[in-house]
Amino acid sequence: MKRIVYLLSFFTLLSFALPVGFISCEPEAKKAPNRVTNFTYQDFETVVKSVDKYYIDKNINKNRAFTDAASFAVLSMPHPLYIYPESYFNEREKYDDKDDLWPGKTFKISPSDKFVLFDPDYTLVEKIQKEKLKKNENRKLSDAEVKKLIEKEKLKKSVIAAKWEEINFSRKEFDRVISYIQDNLETYKTPVLKGLVELDGELPEEEEEKKEFSMEQVFLAAANGYLNSLDPHSNVFLKEMWEESMAKISDGSFEGIGAILSGGGSREVVVENPLEGSPAVKAGIRSGDTIVAVDGKVIKNLSLDKVVKKIKGPKATKVVLTITRKGNTGKTDIEVIRDKITIKNVTHHIVKENPQVGYIKLTGFVKPGPGEAPIETQITNAVVEMEQEAKDSGKPLKALILDLRGNSGGYLDLAIDIADMFIEKGMIVFTRTPFRSDEEKYAKNKDITKLPLVVMINSKSASASEIVASAIQHHGRGILLGERTFGKATVQSLNNLENNPDYLLKITNARYYSPSGKTIQVVGVSPDIEVSEEPDGGFPFRYREEDMWNHLPLIPHEGVVKSKFNVNAIKEYAKKNGKADAFLKSHANDAIKPDYMLIRSLDYIEGMLNAK
């Protein structure tokens, strides 16, 4: 019997801010042997048939799918080519900035083709890109500029899509593109933009042997292009990649300095926060520090993942970070001794700023690792431990926080089980799959606690997090504080690719709906009270599902989710009796910056408990 896993996660690369969770390193040695894998044209065909069989929409635009497949295929080569409708290419100056109008030559596979292949002059492109990097050095885009860029890119893509529709690019044209690549692969095997790689600080690949480029990568890219034309969450990938990523998430242990970074590339690399008790804190690294060099080597223009590579290393070894700090002149070298950092999926503690509030952080809806208790048991034990700790201190708990910020999802059944822990009766979620009856899930277990509940959410709370948050909000079991969530309400199944067990196919096959009958797709879950996680209290632009190309559209719903709480009274209480502003002001220069949203939320929790 084929086993299907249902996933609710968005795995999105956010290009505007690239945070790295932790500077870390897996233990050295024991390099996995190179596995021989293959992905053929027949596997591509299997993906096409799987879409026909399993995809949520039975009326996909196949011409667009083959267009994207061809585009991904030519771009996958070490010397990438671009494919355009000829009519678009001839007027592209209407949609591209001058700096993006690369020099190069176009050619056709057949004289009668209405599309062209574009081969950029990468020597000139390299010079253009270097100048562009220098011009934009360390410049952070404003919210308005980011939104403008997204809208401009959407317009460009929609125009290109319309032009493709006009020329009726089909399976026949796709096959001719693939044949051209096969016949000319040797021509495009030499990597280009070498200078930009050096500028980006590419590290030598001493530790890993790179697999020689072959048609396997072309066919795999084509398959992902085909899937990408459907939605941003369907793809095909090596099974070992999934197993490695799941092992890392389940294990949660790393060797490194224990810090969260942001920036990289043309932006400064900034320490967002060192972790409490981490080697970074012990060495004197502070929130807001800017890293300018690692072990004496300047990291200017280095991408964030490559900065991480330079900083990571085994336990008990040292790394020297050269930093600048606001208020200090010059640069400072700080030596950090790496150590093992353990990050768990479920963490809990009494909130020190209010010892009558318990806090549970859930980082993902993933299955526990070997020897680890089920997530539900971990959460139950956390509540019991905190209640006992508070009772022993003479200050019993008055409220409980469930923190789902940054939780991008995971397994559907786990989301239902966790929501059930806080909801005594009623619907949690229902899923809708074409040509099947709706599958409704109801609460069936007693609540693990009667404590008033607060759920903290932000723009990176997605999928499974949104199921839990929306169910708790719908039933009035808890108040939601924070920012609107990501807005992904689609379900993916994860199967072995038929006849090729080395690969997994993740494909969208259903939508989920909140108990009110509303789909969260695109709109997300709105908090009962907006609470900022920014130092200045603002709400800057956040990348969400609505900003992704080809996302499944919103299904309009007339119902309005009305809060079960007296929101106005809570806000008024917080305004009158709130302590957050004074606290944040007095702790503005702490080595570890305060959790702004948590501190501000404490005022609203007091309001929830005391407002009439």
Side-chain angles (χ1 to χ4, degrees), residues 456-565:
M456 294 175 63
I457 52 176
N458 67 3
S459 61
K460 294 178 186 176
S461 305
S463 298
S465 296
E466 294 173 294
I467 284 179
V468 174
S470 65
I472 287 171
Q473 185 182 52
H474 175 82
H475 292 290
R477 176 59 184 90
I479 190 168
L480 271 54
L481 302 179
E483 297 178 336
R484 178 168 65 91
T485 59
F486 186 78
K488 177 188 175 288
T490 56
V491 184
Q492 285 72 43
S493 62
L494 186 66
N495 299 357
N496 282 324
L497 186 65
E498 195 173 329
N499 299 320
N500 191 341
D502 287 328
Y503 284 87
L504 291 174
L505 175 64
K506 181 161 71 80
I507 190 164
T508 302
N509 69 332
R511 284 176 181 260
Y512 70 78
Y513 294 76
S514 68
S516 65
K518 167 188 172 184
T519 176
I520 296 159
Q521 179 67 13
V522 180
V523 295
V525 180
S526 294
D528 296 298
I529 299 175
E530 283 194 326
V531 182
S532 171
E533 57 186 357
E534 296 296 314
D536 63 1
F539 292 91
F541 170 80
R542 306 291 192 199
Y543 190 84
R544 293 180 170 89
E545 178 85 359
E546 67 217 46
D547 302 305
M548 302 184 79
W549 179 248
N550 276 351
H551 63 73
L552 263 66
L554 164 73
I555 295 177
H557 178 73
E558 292 180 5
V560 177
V561 178
K562 189 175 180 182
S563 178
K564 304 291 194 296
F565 295 85

Side-chain angles (χ1 to χ4, degrees), residues 14-123:
L14 306 183
S15 59
F16 303 106
L18 181 59
V20 162
F22 306 97
I23 303 300
S24 60
C25 176
E26 281 78 51
E28 294 289 325
K30 293 189 180 175
K31 190 176 82 171
N34 285 336
R35 288 179 56 190
V36 178
T37 61
N38 200 16
F39 193 97
T40 65
Y41 185 88
Q42 186 56 49
D43 293 316
F44 171 82
E45 182 61 31
T46 300
V47 169
V48 173
K49 290 177 180 176
S50 297
V51 169
D52 294 340
K53 189 173 181 181
Y54 300 115
Y55 193 64
I56 186 171
D57 186 353
K58 300 304 176 188
N59 298 301
I60 71 162
N61 185 330
K62 288 213 167 190
N63 282 2
R64 187 172 77 177
F66 283 117
T67 299
D68 280 11
S71 180
F72 274 51
V74 296
L75 276 170
S76 71
M77 297 185 293
H79 180 124
L81 300 178
Y82 294 78
I83 186 168
Y84 294 107
E86 187 175 24
S87 58
Y88 173 82
F89 189 83
N90 290 339
E91 55 182 31
R92 61 193 176 120
E93 67 278 354
K94 292 182 182 178
Y95 309 102
D96 284 313
D97 289 333
K98 188 178 178 182
D99 287 347
D100 295 328
L101 292 172
W102 289 355
K105 62 182 181 181
T106 61
F107 61 95
K108 295 183 178 184
I109 298 173
S110 170
S112 61
D113 285 343
K114 295 179 181 178
F115 63 90
V116 295
L117 288 167
F118 175 57
D119 185 1
D121 182 334
Y122 283 108
T123 302

Side-chain angles (χ1 to χ4, degrees), residues 360-375:
I360 297 174
K361 172 75 173 174
L362 182 60
T363 58
F365 292 82
V366 298
K367 306 294 183 183
E372 196 177 9
I375 300 294

